[in-house]
Amino acid sequence: MNNKIIIFDTTLRDGEQSPGASMNTAEKLQIALQLERLGVDVMEAGFAAASPGDFDAVNQIAKQASNIRVCSLARAVQSDIKAAGEALSPAKFKRIHTFIATSPIHMEYKLKMSPSEVIKRAVEAVRYAKTFCDDVEFSCEDAGRSDINFLKEICDAVIGAGAGTINLPDTVGYRLPTELSDMISQMVKFIDNRAVVSVHNHNDLGLATANSLACVLAGARQVECTINGIGERAGNAALEEIVMAIKTRKDVFSELYTDIIAKEIYPTSRLIASITGIEPQPNKAIVGKNAFAHESGIHQDGVLKHKETYEIISAESIGLEKNSLVLGKHSGRHAFKDKLISLGFDLDSEALNTAFEKFKELADKKKEVFDDDIRALVSEEITKIPQSYEIVGLLQSSGGNLASASISIRHNGEIISDSALGNGTADAIFKVIDRISGISGALKDYKVSAVSQGKDALAKVDVKVEFEGGGAVMGHGLDIDTMMASAKAYIGALNSYMRKI
Ligand code: KIV
Ligand code: ZN
Protein backbone atom coordinates (compact mmCIF):
# COMPACT_ATOMS: atom_id res chain seq x y z
CA MET A 1 0.00 0.00 0.00
CA ASN A 2 1.13 3.51 -0.84
CA ASN A 3 2.75 5.44 2.02
CA LYS A 4 1.78 8.89 0.81
CA ILE A 5 -1.18 10.53 2.52
CA ILE A 6 -3.02 12.69 0.00
CA ILE A 7 -3.93 16.02 1.54
CA PHE A 8 -7.30 17.23 0.25
CA ASP A 9 -7.88 20.77 1.44
CA THR A 10 -11.47 21.96 1.68
CA THR A 11 -10.89 25.39 3.26
CA LEU A 12 -12.51 27.07 0.27
CA ARG A 13 -15.60 24.84 0.39
CA ASP A 14 -16.36 23.29 3.81
CA GLY A 15 -14.21 26.01 5.44
CA GLU A 16 -16.26 28.67 3.73
CA GLN A 17 -19.35 27.12 5.30
CA SER A 18 -18.13 28.42 8.71
CA PRO A 19 -20.53 31.08 9.87
CA GLY A 20 -19.15 34.44 8.72
CA ALA A 21 -16.39 33.02 6.54
CA SER A 22 -17.76 33.82 3.11
CA MET A 23 -15.05 35.08 0.76
CA ASN A 24 -15.05 36.89 -2.56
CA THR A 25 -13.35 35.54 -5.67
CA ALA A 26 -10.20 37.64 -5.27
CA GLU A 27 -9.80 36.40 -1.70
CA LYS A 28 -10.35 32.79 -2.75
CA LEU A 29 -7.78 33.13 -5.51
CA GLN A 30 -5.22 34.45 -3.08
CA ILE A 31 -5.87 31.50 -0.76
CA ALA A 32 -5.75 29.05 -3.67
CA LEU A 33 -2.29 30.24 -4.69
CA GLN A 34 -1.07 29.92 -1.11
CA LEU A 35 -2.52 26.38 -0.84
CA GLU A 36 -0.53 25.53 -3.93
CA ARG A 37 2.65 26.86 -2.26
CA LEU A 38 1.79 24.83 0.83
CA GLY A 39 1.91 21.67 -1.26
CA VAL A 40 -1.69 20.55 -0.93
CA ASP A 41 -2.50 17.71 -3.39
CA VAL A 42 -6.18 18.40 -4.02
CA MET A 43 -7.93 21.70 -3.39
CA GLU A 44 -11.72 21.77 -3.16
CA ALA A 45 -12.21 25.22 -4.64
CA GLY A 46 -15.94 25.43 -3.99
CA PHE A 47 -19.39 24.21 -4.86
CA ALA A 48 -19.81 25.49 -8.41
CA ALA A 49 -23.60 25.04 -8.55
CA ALA A 50 -24.23 26.97 -5.32
CA SER A 51 -24.28 30.45 -6.94
CA PRO A 52 -22.82 32.36 -9.91
CA GLY A 53 -20.17 33.71 -7.51
CA ASP A 54 -19.14 30.18 -6.48
CA PHE A 55 -19.03 29.09 -10.12
CA ASP A 56 -16.83 32.04 -10.99
CA ALA A 57 -14.45 31.37 -8.08
CA VAL A 58 -14.00 27.69 -9.04
CA ASN A 59 -13.53 28.71 -12.67
CA GLN A 60 -10.94 31.42 -11.89
CA ILE A 61 -9.00 29.06 -9.64
CA ALA A 62 -9.16 26.35 -12.34
CA LYS A 63 -7.62 28.84 -14.79
CA GLN A 64 -4.82 29.97 -12.50
CA ALA A 65 -3.74 26.90 -10.55
CA SER A 66 -0.87 25.16 -12.24
CA ASN A 67 0.42 22.40 -10.05
CA ILE A 68 -2.49 21.28 -7.92
CA ARG A 69 -5.65 19.26 -8.57
CA VAL A 70 -8.68 21.55 -8.44
CA CYS A 71 -11.96 20.06 -7.33
CA SER A 72 -15.59 21.14 -7.17
CA LEU A 73 -18.26 19.63 -4.98
CA ALA A 74 -21.54 18.56 -6.62
CA ARG A 75 -24.62 16.86 -5.21
CA ALA A 76 -25.54 13.69 -7.06
CA VAL A 77 -27.74 15.63 -9.46
CA GLN A 78 -27.08 16.39 -13.12
CA SER A 79 -27.26 20.20 -12.88
CA ASP A 80 -24.68 20.30 -10.06
CA ILE A 81 -22.31 17.95 -11.87
CA LYS A 82 -22.65 19.93 -15.11
CA ALA A 83 -21.84 23.19 -13.28
CA ALA A 84 -18.82 21.55 -11.62
CA GLY A 85 -17.58 20.12 -14.93
CA GLU A 86 -17.94 23.44 -16.74
CA ALA A 87 -16.34 25.51 -13.98
CA LEU A 88 -13.40 23.10 -13.83
CA SER A 89 -12.90 22.81 -17.57
CA PRO A 90 -9.79 25.07 -17.80
CA ALA A 91 -7.96 23.21 -15.00
CA LYS A 92 -4.79 21.33 -15.81
CA PHE A 93 -5.64 18.72 -13.14
CA LYS A 94 -9.26 18.43 -12.04
CA ARG A 95 -11.65 16.36 -9.98
CA ILE A 96 -15.42 16.27 -9.52
CA HIS A 97 -16.50 15.35 -6.00
CA THR A 98 -20.06 14.11 -5.93
CA PHE A 99 -21.96 12.91 -2.88
CA ILE A 100 -25.21 11.55 -1.53
CA ALA A 101 -26.21 10.64 2.01
CA THR A 102 -26.12 6.99 3.00
CA SER A 103 -27.24 6.90 6.64
CA PRO A 104 -30.75 5.64 7.44
CA ILE A 105 -31.71 8.96 9.06
CA HIS A 106 -30.60 11.02 6.03
CA MET A 107 -32.11 8.67 3.46
CA GLU A 108 -35.47 8.50 5.20
CA TYR A 109 -35.97 12.09 6.38
CA LYS A 110 -33.83 14.25 4.12
CA LEU A 111 -33.70 12.43 0.80
CA LYS A 112 -36.95 10.46 1.18
CA MET A 113 -35.34 7.79 -0.98
CA SER A 114 -34.95 4.06 -0.53
CA PRO A 115 -31.43 2.59 -0.27
CA SER A 116 -31.69 1.11 -3.77
CA GLU A 117 -32.75 4.48 -5.21
CA VAL A 118 -29.74 6.05 -3.48
CA ILE A 119 -27.39 3.52 -5.08
CA LYS A 120 -28.95 4.10 -8.51
CA ARG A 121 -28.57 7.88 -8.15
CA ALA A 122 -24.98 7.57 -6.97
CA VAL A 123 -24.00 5.37 -9.93
CA GLU A 124 -25.67 7.74 -12.41
CA ALA A 125 -23.89 10.70 -10.80
CA VAL A 126 -20.46 9.09 -11.03
CA ARG A 127 -21.06 8.01 -14.67
CA TYR A 128 -22.18 11.51 -15.61
CA ALA A 129 -19.24 13.12 -13.77
CA LYS A 130 -16.89 10.85 -15.72
CA THR A 131 -18.08 12.52 -18.94
CA PHE A 132 -16.44 15.76 -17.69
CA CYS A 133 -13.28 14.44 -16.12
CA ASP A 134 -11.53 11.22 -15.42
CA ASP A 135 -10.91 11.84 -11.73
CA VAL A 136 -14.16 11.41 -9.78
CA GLU A 137 -14.52 11.21 -6.02
CA PHE A 138 -17.64 9.84 -4.40
CA SER A 139 -18.67 10.63 -0.81
CA CYS A 140 -21.14 8.72 1.33
CA GLU A 141 -22.45 11.64 3.36
CA ASP A 142 -22.90 10.69 7.03
CA ALA A 143 -20.91 7.49 6.49
CA GLY A 144 -20.11 7.62 10.21
CA ARG A 145 -23.75 6.74 10.96
CA SER A 146 -24.30 4.46 7.97
CA ASP A 147 -24.66 0.70 7.95
CA ILE A 148 -21.33 -0.86 6.99
CA ASN A 149 -22.97 -3.42 4.67
CA PHE A 150 -24.79 -0.66 2.84
CA LEU A 151 -21.54 1.30 2.58
CA LYS A 152 -19.89 -1.73 0.98
CA GLU A 153 -22.76 -2.14 -1.48
CA ILE A 154 -22.81 1.48 -2.61
CA CYS A 155 -19.02 1.78 -2.76
CA ASP A 156 -18.82 -1.35 -4.87
CA ALA A 157 -21.37 0.13 -7.29
CA VAL A 158 -19.72 3.56 -7.62
CA ILE A 159 -16.25 2.04 -8.02
CA GLY A 160 -17.75 -0.03 -10.83
CA ALA A 161 -19.03 3.22 -12.35
CA GLY A 162 -15.53 4.74 -12.24
CA ALA A 163 -15.06 6.52 -8.87
CA GLY A 164 -11.33 6.66 -8.10
CA THR A 165 -11.66 7.95 -4.53
CA ILE A 166 -14.19 6.86 -1.93
CA ASN A 167 -14.67 9.36 0.86
CA LEU A 168 -16.30 8.23 4.12
CA PRO A 169 -17.17 11.34 6.14
CA ASP A 170 -18.11 11.52 9.77
CA THR A 171 -20.39 14.39 8.76
CA VAL A 172 -21.75 15.15 12.22
CA GLY A 173 -18.55 14.52 14.18
CA TYR A 174 -20.16 11.69 16.17
CA ARG A 175 -17.65 8.86 16.09
CA LEU A 176 -14.73 8.03 18.38
CA PRO A 177 -11.26 7.11 17.04
CA THR A 178 -11.64 3.39 17.82
CA GLU A 179 -14.99 3.20 16.03
CA LEU A 180 -13.76 4.98 12.90
CA SER A 181 -10.59 2.95 12.89
CA ASP A 182 -12.70 -0.18 12.83
CA MET A 183 -14.96 1.12 10.04
CA ILE A 184 -12.04 2.28 7.88
CA SER A 185 -10.07 -0.94 8.24
CA GLN A 186 -13.11 -2.93 7.15
CA MET A 187 -13.68 -0.62 4.17
CA VAL A 188 -10.00 -0.61 3.17
CA LYS A 189 -10.03 -4.38 3.18
CA PHE A 190 -13.25 -4.51 1.18
CA ILE A 191 -12.19 -1.88 -1.39
CA ASP A 192 -8.88 -3.66 -1.74
CA ASN A 193 -6.99 -0.93 -3.65
CA ARG A 194 -9.72 -0.50 -6.28
CA ALA A 195 -10.02 3.14 -5.09
CA VAL A 196 -8.29 5.47 -2.64
CA VAL A 197 -10.05 5.48 0.72
CA SER A 198 -10.52 9.01 2.05
CA VAL A 199 -11.78 10.41 5.35
CA HIS A 200 -13.45 13.70 6.22
CA ASN A 201 -14.05 14.32 9.91
CA HIS A 202 -15.97 17.05 11.67
CA ASN A 203 -15.08 18.34 15.09
CA ASP A 204 -18.37 18.36 16.99
CA LEU A 205 -16.86 16.32 19.86
CA GLY A 206 -13.38 17.82 19.44
CA LEU A 207 -12.14 14.59 17.85
CA ALA A 208 -11.67 15.51 14.19
CA THR A 209 -7.87 15.32 14.21
CA ALA A 210 -7.68 12.23 16.45
CA ASN A 211 -10.27 10.52 14.24
CA SER A 212 -8.40 11.39 11.03
CA LEU A 213 -5.12 10.05 12.43
CA ALA A 214 -6.80 6.84 13.57
CA CYS A 215 -8.22 6.46 10.05
CA VAL A 216 -4.77 6.97 8.51
CA LEU A 217 -3.39 4.24 10.73
CA ALA A 218 -6.31 2.04 9.66
CA GLY A 219 -5.37 2.45 5.98
CA ALA A 220 -7.04 5.66 4.71
CA ARG A 221 -4.76 7.35 2.18
CA GLN A 222 -6.53 10.66 1.71
CA VAL A 223 -7.46 13.09 4.47
CA GLU A 224 -9.86 15.98 3.92
CA CYS A 225 -9.14 18.94 6.15
CA THR A 226 -9.06 22.72 6.41
CA ILE A 227 -6.54 25.33 7.51
CA ASN A 228 -7.09 26.35 11.15
CA GLY A 229 -9.81 23.67 11.27
CA ILE A 230 -12.46 26.08 10.05
CA GLY A 231 -15.68 24.62 8.69
CA GLU A 232 -19.34 23.88 9.20
CA ARG A 233 -20.38 24.14 12.91
CA ALA A 234 -17.40 23.10 15.11
CA GLY A 235 -15.26 22.84 12.00
CA ASN A 236 -13.26 20.20 10.15
CA ALA A 237 -10.06 18.36 10.99
CA ALA A 238 -7.20 20.89 10.95
CA LEU A 239 -4.65 20.36 8.19
CA GLU A 240 -1.77 21.67 10.28
CA GLU A 241 -2.52 19.28 13.16
CA ILE A 242 -2.72 16.20 10.95
CA VAL A 243 0.40 17.06 8.98
CA MET A 244 2.49 17.91 12.03
CA ALA A 245 1.32 14.81 13.94
CA ILE A 246 2.38 12.55 11.05
CA LYS A 247 5.69 14.38 10.77
CA THR A 248 6.44 14.55 14.49
CA ARG A 249 5.40 11.00 15.45
CA LYS A 250 7.55 9.05 12.99
CA ASP A 251 7.73 6.30 15.60
CA VAL A 252 4.00 5.69 15.10
CA PHE A 253 3.40 6.70 11.47
CA SER A 254 6.77 5.28 10.30
CA GLU A 255 6.88 5.42 6.48
CA LEU A 256 3.71 7.48 6.08
CA TYR A 257 4.24 11.02 4.81
CA THR A 258 2.56 14.03 3.22
CA ASP A 259 3.96 16.43 0.63
CA ILE A 260 3.04 19.49 2.68
CA ILE A 261 5.79 22.09 3.01
CA ALA A 262 5.66 22.64 6.75
CA LYS A 263 7.26 26.09 6.59
CA GLU A 264 4.22 27.34 4.68
CA ILE A 265 1.81 26.31 7.46
CA TYR A 266 2.04 29.47 9.52
CA PRO A 267 1.87 31.92 6.58
CA THR A 268 -1.16 30.01 5.27
CA SER A 269 -2.84 30.09 8.66
CA ARG A 270 -2.31 33.86 8.92
CA LEU A 271 -3.69 34.42 5.43
CA ILE A 272 -6.88 32.47 6.20
CA ALA A 273 -7.33 34.28 9.53
CA SER A 274 -6.85 37.68 7.95
CA ILE A 275 -9.18 37.01 5.02
CA THR A 276 -11.99 35.30 6.94
CA GLY A 277 -11.64 37.35 10.12
CA ILE A 278 -11.75 34.04 12.04
CA GLU A 279 -8.74 34.07 14.35
CA PRO A 280 -7.68 30.65 15.71
CA GLN A 281 -8.23 30.38 19.47
CA PRO A 282 -4.99 31.36 21.31
CA ASN A 283 -4.43 27.80 22.59
CA LYS A 284 -5.10 26.22 19.16
CA ALA A 285 -2.55 23.51 18.44
CA ILE A 286 0.26 24.44 16.01
CA VAL A 287 -1.01 27.87 14.87
CA GLY A 288 -2.58 29.49 17.96
CA LYS A 289 -0.85 32.60 19.37
CA ASN A 290 0.17 30.65 22.50
CA ALA A 291 1.20 27.42 20.77
CA PHE A 292 4.90 28.22 21.26
CA ALA A 293 4.69 30.55 24.28
CA HIS A 294 6.21 29.27 27.51
CA GLU A 295 4.73 31.14 30.43
CA SER A 296 5.80 29.29 33.56
CA GLY A 297 9.26 29.84 34.98
CA ILE A 298 9.95 26.11 35.16
CA HIS A 299 9.13 25.71 31.47
CA GLN A 300 11.16 28.76 30.44
CA ASP A 301 14.12 27.50 32.39
CA GLY A 302 13.82 24.05 30.78
CA VAL A 303 13.53 25.43 27.25
CA LEU A 304 16.55 27.69 27.76
CA LYS A 305 18.61 24.72 28.95
CA HIS A 306 17.41 22.32 26.27
CA LYS A 307 14.60 23.18 23.84
CA GLU A 308 13.13 19.71 23.61
CA THR A 309 12.34 19.62 27.33
CA TYR A 310 9.04 21.35 26.62
CA GLU A 311 8.93 21.74 22.82
CA ILE A 312 8.00 18.88 20.51
CA ILE A 313 7.88 21.06 17.39
CA SER A 314 9.96 24.13 16.65
CA ALA A 315 8.23 27.36 15.73
CA GLU A 316 10.59 27.77 12.77
CA SER A 317 9.55 24.42 11.32
CA ILE A 318 6.05 25.75 10.59
CA GLY A 319 7.39 29.07 9.28
CA LEU A 320 6.79 31.08 12.43
CA GLU A 321 9.85 33.26 12.42
CA LYS A 322 10.14 35.65 15.33
CA ASN A 323 7.96 38.64 14.51
CA SER A 324 10.97 40.22 12.97
CA LEU A 325 11.41 43.93 12.63
CA VAL A 326 11.61 44.35 8.93
CA LEU A 327 11.79 47.50 6.92
CA GLY A 328 11.68 51.13 7.82
CA LYS A 329 10.84 54.26 5.91
CA HIS A 330 14.27 54.35 4.32
CA SER A 331 14.02 50.86 2.90
CA GLY A 332 14.04 50.64 -0.86
CA ARG A 333 11.82 48.91 -3.39
CA HIS A 334 14.31 46.11 -3.84
CA ALA A 335 14.42 45.21 -0.14
CA PHE A 336 10.64 45.41 -0.03
CA LYS A 337 10.32 43.03 -2.98
CA ASP A 338 12.75 40.56 -1.34
CA LYS A 339 10.69 40.70 1.84
CA LEU A 340 7.47 39.96 -0.07
CA ILE A 341 9.07 36.96 -1.74
CA SER A 342 10.22 35.63 1.62
CA LEU A 343 6.63 36.01 2.89
CA GLY A 344 5.31 34.05 -0.10
CA PHE A 345 3.86 36.91 -2.17
CA ASP A 346 4.56 36.95 -5.87
CA LEU A 347 3.25 40.26 -7.22
CA ASP A 348 3.33 41.60 -10.76
CA SER A 349 5.02 44.97 -11.14
CA GLU A 350 1.83 47.03 -10.96
CA ALA A 351 0.68 45.33 -7.75
CA LEU A 352 4.20 45.63 -6.37
CA ASN A 353 4.21 49.41 -7.00
CA THR A 354 0.88 49.87 -5.22
CA ALA A 355 1.96 47.68 -2.30
CA PHE A 356 5.24 49.61 -2.04
CA GLU A 357 3.39 52.94 -1.91
CA LYS A 358 1.15 51.56 0.86
CA PHE A 359 4.18 50.32 2.74
CA LYS A 360 5.84 53.77 2.50
CA GLU A 361 2.68 55.44 3.80
CA LEU A 362 2.63 52.98 6.71
CA ALA A 363 6.33 53.35 7.46
CA ASP A 364 5.80 57.10 7.65
CA LYS A 365 3.17 56.69 10.36
CA LYS A 366 4.50 53.66 12.21
CA LYS A 367 7.93 53.40 13.77
CA GLU A 368 8.41 49.66 13.40
CA VAL A 369 6.98 47.64 10.55
CA PHE A 370 6.63 43.90 11.25
CA ASP A 371 6.11 40.91 8.96
CA ASP A 372 2.48 40.67 10.05
CA ASP A 373 1.92 44.32 9.06
CA ILE A 374 3.28 43.64 5.60
CA ARG A 375 1.23 40.46 5.25
CA ALA A 376 -1.95 42.30 6.22
CA LEU A 377 -1.20 45.25 3.96
CA VAL A 378 -0.45 43.16 0.91
CA SER A 379 -3.36 40.73 1.43
CA GLU A 380 -5.68 43.72 1.68
CA GLU A 381 -4.29 45.16 -1.54
CA ILE A 382 -4.41 42.05 -3.66
CA THR A 383 -7.83 40.92 -2.57
CA LYS A 384 -9.43 44.30 -3.13
CA ILE A 385 -12.64 44.22 -5.13
CA PRO A 386 -13.76 47.14 -7.38
CA GLN A 387 -14.46 50.14 -5.18
CA SER A 388 -17.92 51.45 -5.88
CA TYR A 389 -17.56 53.62 -2.77
CA GLU A 390 -14.18 54.81 -1.53
CA ILE A 391 -13.46 56.70 1.64
CA VAL A 392 -11.40 59.85 1.14
CA GLY A 393 -11.67 61.62 4.50
CA LEU A 394 -12.86 61.16 8.05
CA LEU A 395 -13.19 63.62 10.92
CA GLN A 396 -14.47 62.47 14.27
CA SER A 397 -15.04 63.81 17.74
CA SER A 398 -16.62 62.45 20.85
CA GLY A 399 -17.59 63.54 24.33
CA GLY A 400 -19.57 61.54 26.86
CA ASN A 401 -21.86 59.15 25.01
CA LEU A 402 -22.33 61.35 22.00
CA ALA A 403 -19.97 61.26 19.04
CA SER A 404 -19.96 62.85 15.63
CA ALA A 405 -18.37 61.82 12.35
CA SER A 406 -17.94 63.70 9.07
CA ILE A 407 -17.01 61.60 6.10
CA SER A 408 -16.16 62.21 2.45
CA ILE A 409 -16.70 59.38 0.02
CA ARG A 410 -15.89 59.05 -3.68
CA HIS A 411 -18.72 57.48 -5.67
CA ASN A 412 -19.02 57.49 -9.47
CA GLY A 413 -16.22 60.08 -9.71
CA GLU A 414 -18.00 62.48 -7.36
CA ILE A 415 -17.03 63.38 -3.79
CA ILE A 416 -19.96 63.33 -1.38
CA SER A 417 -19.59 64.58 2.21
CA ASP A 418 -21.98 64.32 5.14
CA SER A 419 -21.97 64.06 8.94
CA ALA A 420 -23.97 62.33 11.65
CA LEU A 421 -24.21 61.92 15.39
CA GLY A 422 -24.12 58.51 17.02
CA ASN A 423 -23.86 56.57 20.26
CA GLY A 424 -20.11 56.31 20.00
CA THR A 425 -17.85 57.06 17.06
CA ALA A 426 -18.29 53.77 15.19
CA ASP A 427 -22.06 54.18 15.29
CA ALA A 428 -21.75 57.75 13.94
CA ILE A 429 -19.43 56.56 11.14
CA PHE A 430 -21.75 53.76 10.03
CA LYS A 431 -24.73 56.15 10.07
CA VAL A 432 -22.98 58.66 7.78
CA ILE A 433 -21.99 55.92 5.35
CA ASP A 434 -25.61 54.68 5.26
CA ARG A 435 -26.76 58.23 4.61
CA ILE A 436 -24.29 58.89 1.81
CA SER A 437 -24.98 55.59 0.03
CA GLY A 438 -28.72 55.68 0.68
CA ILE A 439 -28.48 51.98 1.63
CA SER A 440 -28.97 51.10 5.23
CA GLY A 441 -27.10 48.25 6.84
CA ALA A 442 -27.57 46.31 10.08
CA LEU A 443 -24.29 45.59 11.84
CA LYS A 444 -24.24 41.89 12.81
CA ASP A 445 -20.65 41.58 13.98
CA TYR A 446 -17.79 43.99 14.73
CA LYS A 447 -14.31 42.87 15.70
CA VAL A 448 -11.16 44.90 16.31
CA SER A 449 -7.70 43.37 16.58
CA ALA A 450 -4.10 44.53 16.45
CA VAL A 451 -2.13 43.18 13.49
CA SER A 452 1.19 43.22 15.36
CA GLN A 453 2.48 44.61 18.63
CA GLY A 454 3.12 48.12 19.95
CA LYS A 455 0.95 51.09 20.85
CA ASP A 456 1.03 52.20 17.24
CA ALA A 457 -0.02 48.77 15.89
CA LEU A 458 -2.14 48.61 12.76
CA ALA A 459 -5.77 48.02 13.66
CA LYS A 460 -7.74 45.42 11.75
CA VAL A 461 -11.51 45.68 11.84
CA ASP A 462 -13.81 42.91 10.57
CA VAL A 463 -17.51 43.59 10.18
CA LYS A 464 -20.48 41.57 9.11
CA VAL A 465 -23.32 43.69 7.76
CA GLU A 466 -26.76 42.90 6.43
CA PHE A 467 -27.82 45.47 3.85
CA GLU A 468 -31.43 45.92 2.73
CA GLY A 469 -32.66 42.97 0.71
CA GLY A 470 -29.31 41.16 0.67
CA GLY A 471 -27.67 38.48 2.77
CA ALA A 472 -24.85 39.22 5.20
CA VAL A 473 -21.57 40.41 3.74
CA MET A 474 -18.16 40.72 5.37
CA GLY A 475 -15.88 43.75 5.23
CA HIS A 476 -12.32 44.20 6.45
CA GLY A 477 -10.47 47.45 7.16
CA LEU A 478 -6.87 48.14 8.02
CA ASP A 479 -5.49 51.39 9.37
CA ILE A 480 -3.33 52.90 12.07
CA ASP A 481 -6.47 54.58 13.30
CA THR A 482 -9.13 52.19 14.63
CA MET A 483 -12.03 54.40 13.56
CA MET A 484 -10.66 54.79 10.04
CA ALA A 485 -10.23 50.98 9.93
CA SER A 486 -13.88 50.69 11.03
CA ALA A 487 -15.00 53.04 8.25
CA LYS A 488 -12.95 51.10 5.68
CA ALA A 489 -14.39 47.79 6.88
CA TYR A 490 -17.96 49.06 6.60
CA ILE A 491 -17.29 50.52 3.13
CA GLY A 492 -15.67 47.18 2.18
CA ALA A 493 -18.86 45.35 3.15
CA LEU A 494 -20.90 47.90 1.15
CA ASN A 495 -18.70 47.31 -1.91
CA SER A 496 -19.16 43.52 -1.59
CA TYR A 497 -22.91 44.06 -1.39
CA MET A 498 -22.83 46.29 -4.50
CA ARG A 499 -21.09 43.49 -6.41
CA LYS A 500 -23.66 40.97 -5.30
CA ILE A 501 -26.81 42.88 -6.30
O1 KIV B 1 -19.27 16.60 5.94
C1 KIV B 1 -19.60 16.07 4.86
O2 KIV B 1 -20.20 15.00 4.78
C2 KIV B 1 -19.25 16.81 3.64
C3 KIV B 1 -19.48 16.06 2.36
C4 KIV B 1 -20.18 16.88 1.37
C5 KIV B 1 -18.17 15.54 1.88
O3 KIV B 1 -18.77 17.91 3.69
ZN1 ZN C 1 -17.96 18.33 5.74
Side-chain angles (χ1 to χ4, degrees):
M1 195 187 261
N2 206 330
N3 288 327
K4 168 161 164 161
I5 307 299
I6 298 165
I7 296 294
F8 176 114
D9 179 277
T10 182
T11 305
L12 294 173
R13 199 278 299 170
D14 219 329
E16 205 206 11
Q17 290 172 218
S18 310
S22 71
M23 307 167 224
N24 64 40
T25 300
E27 290 168 336
K28 287 184 181 175
L29 252 177
Q30 182 62 24
I31 291 175
L33 297 176
Q34 179 57 31
L35 290 174
E36 197 167 350
R37 268 179 230 125
L38 177 66
V40 156
D41 300 289
V42 188
M43 158 171 56
E44 191 158 57
F47 188 172
S51 71
D54 283 63
F55 182 96
D56 184 48
V58 175
N59 189 243
Q60 294 298 328
I61 293 171
K63 282 183 188 148
Q64 298 210 23
S66 54
N67 212 9
I68 186 170
R69 194 167 289 272
V70 185
C71 171
S72 171
L73 185 68
R75 286 170 302 175
V77 293
Q78 281 220 350
S79 51
D80 273 29
I81 295 169
K82 187 164 183 278
E86 287 170 357
L88 289 170
S89 67
K92 199 162 149 203
F93 308 106
K94 55 190 157 195
R95 173 180 293 184
I96 294 179
H97 174 194
T98 186
F99 73 99
I100 193 162
T102 52
S103 62
I105 186 171
H106 276 235
M107 290 193 287
E108 183 180 347
Y109 295 104
K110 186 181 82 175
L111 298 175
K112 300 188 192 320
M113 286 168 80
S114 69
S116 54
E117 285 169 328
V118 168
I119 296 184
K120 187 165 172 282
R121 175 79 75 76
V123 168
E124 283 165 5
V126 171
R127 282 208 187 111
Y128 186 53
K130 291 284 276 189
T131 65
F132 293 94
C133 75
D134 204 40
D135 186 346
V136 174
E137 170 171 333
F138 176 77
S139 278
C140 305
E141 190 190 10
D142 205 16
R145 293 188 298 172
S146 301
D147 174 71
I148 188 101
N149 292 321
F150 183 59
L151 284 181
K152 288 179 182 168
E153 200 181 333
I154 194 166
C155 290
D156 207 30
V158 292
I159 291 170
T165 302
I166 296 292
N167 185 38
L168 299 165
D170 182 23
T171 304
V172 291
Y174 177 70
R175 288 290 166 202
L176 305 180
T178 45
E179 293 171 323
L180 279 186
S181 169
D182 183 43
M183 177 180 105
I184 294 300
S185 39
Q186 286 193 57
M187 290 306 291
V188 166
K189 194 159 169 230
F190 176 76
I191 289 173
D192 192 22
N193 282 322
R194 289 177 292 151
V196 174
V197 174
S198 166
V199 291
H200 173 118
N201 293 311
H202 278 271
N203 205 29
D204 300 65
L205 293 175
L207 292 168
T209 298
N211 281 346
S212 304
L213 294 171
C215 292
V216 163
L217 290 171
R221 286 297 174 266
Q222 175 176 285
V223 178
E224 302 196 351
C225 43
T226 60
I227 304 294
N228 298 343
I230 63 170
E232 187 84 38
R233 306 181 311 277
N236 289 62
L239 180 147
E240 62 279 6
E241 294 174 11
I242 292 163
V243 168
M244 291 314 287
I246 293 175
K247 212 174 153 65
T248 307
R249 293 302 307 274
K250 279 266 154 254
D251 55 330
V252 176
F253 292 96
S254 57
E255 302 298 308
L256 298 178
Y257 68 95
T258 75
D259 278 341
I260 293 297
I261 298 167
K263 272 203 171 284
E264 292 295 337
I265 286 179
Y266 189 71
T268 313
S269 165
R270 294 316 308 147
L271 183 68
I272 304 299
S274 84
I275 287 180
T276 59
I278 303 175
E279 198 53 53
Q281 73 210 50
N283 58 328
K284 162 85 180 61
I286 318 291
V287 293
K289 275 209 161 85
N290 297 348
F292 295 95
H294 299 279
E295 193 69 22
S296 101
I298 297 173
H299 288 208
Q300 287 172 355
D301 182 53
V303 168
L304 285 174
K305 287 180 174 141
H306 186 77
K307 262 190 163 194
E308 278 94 69
T309 49
Y310 288 101
E311 257 186 33
I312 57 163
I313 298 168
S314 74
E316 298 75 44
S317 68
I318 59 151
L320 201 176
E321 309 297 344
K322 261 197 138 189
N323 206 356
S324 54
L325 180 61
V326 281
L327 312 166
K329 63 179 181 180
H330 301 297
S331 306
R333 204 169 171 282
H334 194 77
F336 180 69
K337 188 176 175 194
D338 281 352
K339 188 73 206 174
L340 290 189
I341 292 170
S342 80
L343 292 177
F345 292 105
D346 184 11
L347 305 191
D348 62 30
S349 64
E350 198 188 325
L352 178 69
N353 286 343
T354 319
F356 186 57
E357 269 169 41
K358 296 261 164 193
F359 158 70
K360 282 286 187 186
E361 274 170 33
L362 180 66
D364 250 348
K365 294 182 195 157
K366 195 174 184 295
K367 227 168 64 204
E368 300 171 319
V369 180
F370 297 96
D371 286 0
D372 280 346
D373 295 322
I374 296 196
R375 258 191 212 109
L377 202 78
V378 177
S379 306
E380 188 201 35
E381 209 38 53
I382 52 194
T383 56
K384 213 174 211 165
I385 55 168
Q387 304 284 287
S388 183
Y389 292 89
E390 194 180 352
I391 187 144
V392 289
L394 164 68
L395 276 174
Q396 28 152 325
S397 66
S398 63
N401 280 342
L402 211 59
S404 77
S406 303
I407 297 187
S408 300
I409 284 174
R410 186 179 294 116
H411 177 55
N412 291 337
E414 219 189 302
I415 307 272
I416 316 164
S417 305
D418 205 343
S419 2
L421 295 175
N423 294 319
T425 315
D427 184 42
I429 288 172
F430 302 150
K431 277 189 179 140
V432 194
I433 298 174
D434 282 358
R435 221 148 70 187
I436 292 179
S437 66
I439 304 166
S440 98
L443 188 69
K444 296 289 168 191
D445 202 6
Y446 174 69
K447 255 189 321 211
V448 183
S449 52
V451 170
S452 58
Q453 69 255 43
K455 287 188 187 128
D456 60 355
L458 261 180
K460 175 158 193 289
V461 174
D462 302 293
V463 294
K464 184 175 172 188
V465 189
E466 244 171 53
F467 290 102
E468 297 156 353
V473 279
M474 300 292 292
H476 313 289
L478 200 63
D479 203 273
I480 284 276
D481 179 76
T482 308
M483 286 305 131
M484 185 53 139
S486 305
K488 286 181 180 171
Y490 197 85
I491 290 270
L494 180 61
N495 285 326
S496 287
Y497 168 76
M498 296 303 290
R499 280 195 99 195
K500 265 174 87 174
I501 55 170

